[in-house]
Amino acid sequence: MKPLQISPETAITLSKQLGVPLEHLMHMPQHILLQKIAELSKKQDAQPAEGGAAAPSPEKDKQ
């Protein structure tokens, strides 16, 4: 199996975000890497929605 064809900067960023050692990331099968990136994307999409729900409403400040 050949290493993934990604730039060194991308590999380092993905390694940090996924919590996977760089050596493991570079030899990870492409379909597994794509699955992990999709999971990471879902988590990041969900975070702003949760953060917005916790913000105080303007009506509460008026009282």
Side-chain angles (χ1 to χ4, degrees):
M1 178 183 339
K2 66 179 183 176
L4 296 170
Q5 300 296 313
I6 56 177
S7 71
E9 294 83 13
T10 302
I12 291 169
T13 302
L14 283 173
S15 175
K16 289 178 182 176
Q17 289 183 350
L18 295 174
V20 176
L22 189 58
E23 295 82 14
H24 292 185
L25 178 78
M26 292 306 294
H27 294 285
M28 186 178 290
Q30 188 173 4
H31 69 280
I32 294 175
L33 178 61
L34 291 174
Q35 181 182 9
K36 289 187 177 285
I37 291 172
E39 291 172 4
L40 183 64
S41 176
K42 286 180 184 177
K43 286 180 185 177
Q44 288 179 346
D45 288 345
Q47 285 178 351
E50 292 173 2
S57 65
E59 293 175 12
K60 199 175 201 180
D61 293 335
K62 292 179 183 177
Q63 294 177 351

